[in-house]
Amino acid sequence: MLGGQSVSVFGDAVSFTAMPLLVLALTGSGVQMGLVGILQTVPDLAFGVIAGALADRWDRRRMMLYADIGRALLTALIPLSIIAGLDTMAVILLVTAPVNVLRVLFLAAFTSSMPSLVGREHVGAANGYSEAIIGVSFIIGPAVAGVLVSLIGAGPTLALDAVSFLLSGISLTLVRRPLQSARLRTETHLLAEIGEGIRYIARERTLRTIVAFWGSVSIFAAPLVPAVIFYLTVDRHQPSSVVGVMISAYG
């Protein structure tokens, strides 16, 4: 399943680079690119707690599989809109938030599956491998995306990105081990479970500090990538390959 996660996260890294480059090519507007960046980031802040609660209730394998298939289909709509001569910018604005909501759902299901997949005694090591995969993906992915955009264009790059999500979904069908721990059926309302989780974090000083720290980092660092892309592309007239390398260095 780590293989499937690596393909999925690599697809995320490619999308986070290719999408702003496509928006900039279509509109030349930093405002439009920033708007797409917001739509890419907000689901993490607004939907993360909900996704975690859903991962405790839903079948996690199906949750990841449907998230991958959904991202593949929605991402494919962007290059298809270019081929069909439709308003590609409108399509991007429509699909960006749903794609990233599905990304949050995938990550919540994957993280929740770890104890069942490897056993609780190996969770630390497995999380280490998982974080290494994420780190490497966001180092290599933007550079690959930048080179592909330079060679074949942003639309075809996003088409390949859609294929990567489909491959990730297919890989999940090869995992036979149950990903859901046996648990008693609960009648607790979803909102009550979310509230319980928030109260638990509020009581735990260490968790409270970690959430506040990384939340602040995410909010203040989010504008950096669009700003760098705009600066290199518009102000310095650099090719997409250079942009991808610079974002990889940031990663």
Side-chain angles (χ1 to χ4, degrees), residues 169-190:
I170 292 172
S171 73
L172 290 169
T173 63
L174 304 177
V175 180
R176 301 302 180 189
R177 185 173 298 184
L179 303 181
Q180 205 89 11
S181 300
R183 54 177 288 178
L184 296 174
R185 182 177 177 83
T186 177
E187 299 299 331
T188 306
H189 194 276
L190 177 64

Side-chain angles (χ1 to χ4, degrees), residues 131-156:
E131 289 300 318
I133 288 171
I134 292 173
V136 170
S137 295
F138 275 90
I139 291 172
I140 298 176
V144 171
V147 171
L148 286 175
V149 170
S150 292
L151 293 175
I152 63 176

Side-chain angles (χ1 to χ4, degrees), residues 5 8 64 67-68 71 102-110 168:
Q5 185 221 14
S8 179
M64 287 186 283
D68 275 335
R71 286 188 290 175
L102 291 173
R103 173 178 58 80
V104 174
L105 285 170
F106 178 94
L107 291 174
F110 179 85
S168 174

Side-chain angles (χ1 to χ4, degrees), residues 1-244:
M1 197 168 80
L2 284 174
Q5 185 221 14
S6 64
V7 175
S8 179
V9 174
F10 186 82
D12 290 331
V14 170
S15 178
F16 268 81
T17 305
M19 193 82 78
L21 287 171
L22 177 57
V23 171
L24 202 54
L26 289 171
T27 67
S29 170
V31 173
Q32 294 279 7
M33 189 173 60
L35 177 59
V36 172
I38 291 172
L39 293 175
Q40 288 178 317
T41 307
V42 164
D44 292 274
L45 302 174
F47 204 68
V49 177
I50 299 173
L54 292 175
D56 283 339
R57 289 170 167 259
W58 292 354
D59 183 290
R60 292 166 185 164
R61 188 196 311 274
R62 291 183 180 179
M63 192 170 167
M64 287 186 283
L65 178 61
Y66 294 158
D68 275 335
I69 293 174
R71 286 188 290 175
L73 293 175
L74 290 172
T75 303
L77 290 177
I78 298 172
L80 287 175
S81 72
I82 298 174
I83 295 172
L86 301 177
D87 187 343
T88 301
M89 191 61 212
V91 174
I92 290 173
L93 292 174
L94 285 173
V95 305
T96 298
V99 164
N100 286 279
V101 167
L102 291 173
R103 173 178 58 80
V104 174
L105 285 170
F106 178 94
L107 291 174
F110 179 85
T111 304
S112 301
S113 300
M114 196 72 73
S116 300
L117 188 65
V118 302
R120 291 194 175 276
E121 67 276 15
H122 300 300
V123 167
N127 280 331
Y129 289 126
S130 176
E131 289 300 318
I133 288 171
I134 292 173
V136 170
S137 295
F138 275 90
I139 291 172
I140 298 176
V144 171
V147 171
L148 286 175
V149 170
S150 292
L151 293 175
I152 63 176
T157 299
L158 287 171
L160 293 175
D161 199 32
V163 173
S164 74
F165 292 130
L166 188 60
L167 292 175
S168 174
I170 292 172
S171 73
L172 290 169
T173 63
L174 304 177
V175 180
R176 301 302 180 189
R177 185 173 298 184
L179 303 181
Q180 205 89 11
S181 300
R183 54 177 288 178
L184 296 174
R185 182 177 177 83
T186 177
E187 299 299 331
T188 306
H189 194 276
L190 177 64
L191 293 179
E193 286 191 6
I194 294 172
E196 181 182 348
I198 293 174
R199 286 191 296 273
Y200 179 78
I201 292 173
R203 290 194 302 266
E204 293 291 329
R205 181 178 179 182
T206 302
L207 288 176
R208 204 168 59 234
T209 303
I210 291 171
V211 169
F213 175 75
W214 283 113
S216 301
V217 169
S218 298
I219 291 171
F220 289 109
L224 289 178
V225 171
V228 167
I229 292 174
F230 188 88
Y231 173 74
L232 290 174
T233 305
V234 176
D235 294 344
R236 293 297 180 181
H237 309 291
Q238 296 296 317
S240 299
S241 55
V242 173
V243 174

